Amino acid sequence: MKNYIAVDIGASSGRAVLSHVDEDGIHTKEINRFANGFTTQNQQDVWDVDYLFEEILISLKNAKDLGVEYCCLSIDTWGVDYIFLDDKGKRLHEAVSYRDSRTNHTMEKVFNVVSKKDIYDKTGIQFLKFNTLYQLYEERSDLKKKASNILLVPDYLNYVLTGIARNEITNLSTTQLLDVNGQHLDEQLLEVLDIDENIFPEVIEPGTFLGEIKEGLREKYDLPITQVYTTASHDTASAVLGSVGDSQKSWAFLSSGTWSLIGQELNEPIVSEKALALGYSNERGFKGTYRFLKNIIGMWIIQRVRKDWFKNYTFPEMVEEAKKNTDFKVFVDFNDDRFINPNNMVDEIQNYCSETGQQVPKTIGEISQTVYLNLAIIYATSIEDLNDITQSNIEVINIVGGGSNNDYLNELTAQYTNCEVIVGPVEATVYGNLAATMIATNQFETVEEAREVIGMSNGIKRIKKPIHSPEIQIDIEKFKEVTQYAYRS
């Protein structure tokens, strides 16, 4: 029996899952869970990557304590954030978080050198102010000169485990530096950044064997013999691979977590004026596919609402309060940059409503209803856009990730998108992480086989396509009207 360990690290937490496959499906056991988050050091928001590395070692030690002597390990994290190494392989700096304010006004600086259209034509990537392109533009020049290698976060963690420096393509594609049709970084964009392409290690595909963990680490911490594989190391790429979809119908994925990523799995990129205008990305997926998607603010909103004002409420209690206020309707575009990291999320929502001439939500129920209603409407407008750009007729949405636990939001999503909704797997990212390595080690022959077994191994729920009432369409049109006003003002 082969043992697999998937390490999945998100912006707020991480976990390690031990797994094996038999005739009954994929079996998983969580062997470590740990908090994650950025802290402020020297006026910058940074990640503690040493702590994350320690938690990976703890995960492996926990596996050894359970009797695991040999395993395959793969790591996924969020995208865009990076680390410079010097010529001796040592980290030159703390890993700055994408939520740091240093790139608040950077895009226009870059657009003065290379046009927005040219960047999109080159990379096919959505314009987000925290993309690696803009982070590197603001990076200290002395660090750029000292750097011998640049690695994104999961690649760095793989490096400190194995000593092998590589850049996995699904994560590298989030940088807005990678050629949309190939595996090379764009020379003109690197020139704008004053960075040599040679500091980027070899680009590799998910499912590539890197090597065993360093013998010194294994002996020092009494760890299993561990072979490290690259997985689809961007967490959304793993979540899409771990989605079950619907092979009989046109379907979209919605990875619902801190961020909501909505889109379709395609075999070719779409780099069109409409895709550019509507903010769609062509990120790389497993086996040469593309994640044609839009990055939407997600459960981050409700997480911050609870943190900033309503700590005494649990998330399920906030849902119940929202359901008591279904008649309360104000329209907020949570994709507005003002909601990425405000000082206080509730204040920001209230200010937005006041500025757009709407009723201001005040109670926990009104605030929660505002969040869930508008997320569902944003999903609906995104499905409209996808149908238009890809010439699809999407009938099914597969909602995965932690946000899929929210039955109320799932039901609103079905109503406002007018689609059947498949709910689960909740741990799609973990299952996708595992699937890439399992395919690489011949546990499964194809993606289709892996998805079939993933579906069999999980309690997948379906919400039938509801009646799309005139009232719902009015809400969607009102949302568009109000948010356009907000942009004009």
Side-chain angles (χ1 to χ4, degrees):
M1 179 180 72
K2 292 182 180 178
N3 290 301
Y4 298 86
I5 296 176
V7 177
D8 169 38
I9 307 175
S12 57
S13 67
R15 61 270 180 90
V17 175
L18 177 64
S19 178
H20 70 274
V21 181
D22 62 23
E23 63 275 8
D24 295 322
I26 301 173
H27 300 269
T28 61
K29 177 181 177 62
E30 186 176 288
I31 57 174
N32 191 21
R33 180 172 285 268
F34 47 93
N36 190 31
F38 55 81
T39 59
T40 303
Q41 295 182 25
N42 300 320
Q43 299 182 319
Q44 282 193 318
D45 295 329
V46 299
W47 306 105
D48 188 346
V49 292
D50 290 334
Y51 158 75
L52 297 178
F53 176 59
E54 289 170 4
E55 291 294 340
I56 294 171
L57 297 180
I58 290 170
S59 303
L60 286 168
K61 183 64 170 67
N62 291 347
K64 183 70 176 289
D65 291 343
L66 290 170
V68 175
E69 296 292 338
Y70 168 87
C71 63
C72 300
L73 175 77
S74 47
I75 302 169
D76 71 78
T77 77
W78 63 97
V80 305
D81 293 341
Y82 60 88
I83 292 164
F84 283 140
L85 303 179
D86 67 14
D87 57 3
K88 296 180 179 179
K90 293 185 178 180
R91 192 175 76 243
L92 285 170
H93 62 112
E94 300 298 332
V96 179
S97 168
Y98 62 86
R99 291 194 188 276
D100 186 80
S101 62
R102 65 177 174 168
T103 56
N104 281 356
H105 307 290
T106 306
M107 285 201 292
E108 290 305 322
K109 298 177 187 177
V110 175
F111 296 161
N112 286 332
V113 184
V114 186
S115 74
K116 187 174 182 178
K117 185 178 185 304
D118 282 348
I119 294 172
Y120 192 74
D121 287 345
K122 291 171 179 291
T123 67
I125 296 297
Q126 178 184 10
F127 289 87
L128 298 168
K129 69 178 185 178
F130 49 72
N131 286 348
T132 317
L133 169 61
Y134 312 114
Q135 292 196 49
L136 287 172
Y137 188 88
E138 297 294 350
E139 189 55 85
R140 289 162 39 196
S141 58
D142 63 315
L143 286 180
K144 294 179 185 179
K145 290 177 181 177
K146 291 179 183 177
S148 291
N149 276 313
I150 180 170
L151 295 170
L152 297 189
V153 171
D155 301 309
Y156 173 75
L157 294 172
N158 285 333
Y159 167 74
V160 291
L161 282 170
T162 66
I164 306 298
R166 299 288 186 270
N167 275 312
E168 189 277 320
I169 196 167
T170 69
N171 216 318
L172 188 65
S173 69
T174 69
T175 61
Q176 207 170 32
L177 290 168
L178 186 69
D179 171 19
V180 69
N181 292 304
Q183 292 192 333
H184 297 287
L185 297 158
D186 186 81
E187 292 181 4
Q188 183 184 10
L189 296 178
L190 291 177
E191 186 177 339
V192 170
L193 301 176
D194 193 24
I195 286 180
D196 193 302
E197 183 178 5
N198 292 328
I199 75 168
F200 287 86
E202 179 185 349
V203 181
I204 58 175
E205 294 287 335
T208 300
F209 173 61
L210 287 176
E212 291 190 2
I213 62 170
K214 297 174 184 175
E215 186 175 351
L217 286 174
R218 186 164 60 84
E219 293 178 351
K220 180 178 180 179
Y221 296 99
D222 188 24
L223 305 178
I225 296 171
T226 305
Q227 293 190 328
V228 179
Y229 285 79
T230 58
T231 184
S233 68
H234 187 263
D235 50 11
T236 307
S238 276
V240 172
L241 180 56
S243 302
V244 297
D246 189 324
S247 61
Q248 304 302 313
K249 297 178 182 178
S250 178
W251 65 280
F253 59 81
L254 171 52
S255 178
S256 179
T258 301
W259 290 92
S260 291
L261 294 304
I262 190 167
Q264 290 179 282
E265 189 176 53
L266 304 178
N267 292 320
E268 300 289 340
I270 298 177
V271 184
S272 64
E273 290 186 10
K274 189 168 290 185
L276 166 60
L278 294 174
Y280 279 81
S281 266
N282 295 271
E283 297 175 3
R284 300 303 179 87
F286 188 67
K287 293 287 187 183
T289 59
Y290 287 81
R291 294 171 281 142
F292 186 70
L293 58 80
K294 187 168 187 174
N295 210 36
I296 298 168
I297 204 80
M299 305 313 285
W300 165 255
I301 301 293
I302 203 70
Q303 291 165 359
R304 279 292 307 272
V305 164
R306 180 175 180 269
K307 178 183 176 182
D308 293 342
W309 261 38
F310 300 109
K311 293 185 179 71
N312 293 331
Y313 284 84
T314 65
F315 290 119
E317 287 171 343
M318 294 171 76
V319 168
E320 290 306 311
E321 292 299 318
K323 290 163 72 173
K324 296 174 186 176
N325 288 269
T326 55
D327 291 336
F328 186 87
K329 292 181 179 179
V330 293
F331 301 100
V332 180
D333 183 3
F334 287 119
N335 284 330
D336 193 302
D337 283 349
R338 66 195 290 171
F339 297 111
I340 288 178
N341 195 20
N343 291 329
N344 185 291
M345 186 64 74
V346 175
D347 289 348
E348 202 67 37
I349 293 170
Q350 291 177 331
N351 290 339
Y352 185 102
C353 292
S354 178
E355 292 166 15
T356 52
Q358 301 182 88
Q359 185 178 354
V360 176
K362 297 178 180 178
T363 68
I364 177 64
E366 291 173 348
I367 292 288
S368 299
Q369 170 65 5
T370 297
V371 173
Y372 296 132
L373 171 68
N374 283 278
L375 284 179
I377 294 175
I378 291 169
Y379 299 159
T381 60
S382 298
I383 292 296
E384 288 180 3
D385 294 343
L386 277 169
N387 282 331
D388 188 19
I389 297 169
T390 67
Q391 296 298 293
S392 300
N393 180 24
I394 295 168
E395 299 177 81
V396 176
I397 302 173
N398 188 182
I399 303 179
V400 300
S404 68
N405 282 316
N406 190 319
D407 291 339
Y408 180 54
L409 181 55
N410 293 339
E411 291 166 2
L412 285 175
T413 300
Q415 291 170 11
Y416 279 85
T417 62
N418 196 32
C419 288
E420 179 182 4
V421 167
I422 298 173
V423 181
V426 174
E427 301 290 354
T429 303
V430 167
Y431 280 99
N433 178 317
L434 292 167
T437 307
M438 288 175 175
I439 291 170
T441 56
N442 301 313
Q443 191 75 66
F444 301 119
E445 292 186 4
T446 65
V447 171
E448 292 73 22
E449 182 187 0
R451 283 177 170 161
E452 182 179 351
V453 178
I454 289 170
M456 182 179 72
S457 306
N458 286 270
I460 305 299
K461 297 187 295 185
R462 286 181 178 261
I463 302 173
K464 292 183 178 180
K465 180 177 177 179
I467 297 173
H468 197 58
S469 71
E471 181 183 0
I472 285 175
Q473 192 58 44
I474 290 170
D475 289 347
I476 293 173
E477 296 306 319
K478 184 67 174 177
F479 170 86
K480 293 177 180 178
E481 177 186 340
V482 169
T483 57
Q484 287 173 356
Y485 173 83
Y487 286 131
R488 286 199 301 270
S489 64

